[in-house]
Amino acid sequence: MSFKKFLFSFTFIKQLLIAITIVCATLYLFIIWISFTTNHGQEIIVPNLSKLTLEQAEDKLDELDLDYELLDTVDYNAAYPKLSIVQQDPNPGEKVKQNRVIYLKINSTGYSKVRIPDLIQKTYRQAVPTLAALGLEVGDTSYIPNLAKDMVLEMKMNGKSVKAGQQVLKMTKVDLILGDGKIGFEEDLNGSEKDSIKKDSTK
């Protein structure tokens, strides 16, 4: 039998159809296997874990077949309970696959301590960002007679004087005593008045 006749023979066509069927079935089973192993089309919405404890978050994630990993403890935030979750990645509402790891950061147990910076002889404009950078706040401001207007002359906390280098908790309010910038002008005015009186008396 010639090769051409063999190509059109019933035996060859039958074998070809069987081979095509096997290939198609294999591809179909492979696609099903891939879909199953990658959870194709099955997505889980990440829950909001904010303000939950690690134990509560773990229970919630276990129900959804999600894992978690604790990355770090962040500076204390009064808006969150102590040791509760402050940040998570991925964010709430995002869609992820089964067994996805959710990265967490929790609130510390309290404010850490910082040293009061040296603000004496610095202006109020310089003092405010310096305190803010350390996590401190500007409390009450008051003025006393001094030639240097808005210059920090003294720092107080709860009515008591504090010095640079003293350790306080973050978010502590530091009261500032500033110069009013008037004492020099008052002296000039008084001096001018005296000079004018002397001139009048000599006439």
Side-chain angles (χ1 to χ4, degrees), residues 23-41:
V23 171
C24 291
T26 303
L27 289 175
Y28 177 73
L29 293 174
F30 179 75
I31 292 173
I32 291 178
W33 178 77
I34 288 292
S35 298
F36 177 77
T37 55
T38 59
N39 294 313
H40 180 69

Side-chain angles (χ1 to χ4, degrees), residues 55-177:
E55 291 78 11
Q56 292 171 330
E58 185 175 5
D59 292 340
K60 201 168 186 177
L61 293 174
D62 282 344
E63 293 176 358
L64 299 172
D65 291 326
L66 297 175
D67 294 326
Y68 78 90
E69 181 177 333
L70 179 61
L71 290 182
D72 197 7
T73 300
V74 301
D75 288 340
Y76 180 68
N77 187 334
Y80 294 81
K82 295 178 180 179
L83 298 178
S84 67
I85 295 170
V86 177
Q87 299 176 21
Q88 66 179 85
D89 181 32
N91 294 319
E94 291 189 22
K95 295 180 179 180
V96 296
K97 300 292 184 181
Q98 188 179 10
N99 297 323
R100 171 66 185 272
V101 176
I102 310 299
Y103 298 97
L104 305 175
K105 292 185 179 181
I106 62 172
N107 202 16
S108 63
T109 56
Y111 293 116
S112 57
K113 286 188 175 183
V114 294
R115 295 185 182 276
I116 295 179
D118 187 3
L119 302 177
I120 305 302
Q121 300 298 315
K122 291 188 177 181
T123 65
Y124 179 77
R125 281 188 175 183
Q126 293 173 316
V128 172
T130 301
L131 290 173
L134 294 172
L136 301 174
E137 297 181 356
V138 177
D140 296 331
T141 56
S142 56
Y143 292 85
I144 60 175
N146 191 278
L147 180 62
K149 182 174 175 58
D150 291 332
M151 181 173 285
V152 179
L153 303 175
E154 188 179 356
M155 299 180 292
K156 288 188 175 183
M157 192 176 69
N158 297 324
K160 297 181 180 180
S161 295
V162 293
K163 296 182 179 180
Q166 185 173 331
Q167 286 193 336
V168 296
L169 294 174
K170 282 189 175 183
M171 303 305 293
T172 296
K173 291 185 177 182
V174 180
D175 301 330
L176 302 178
I177 313 300

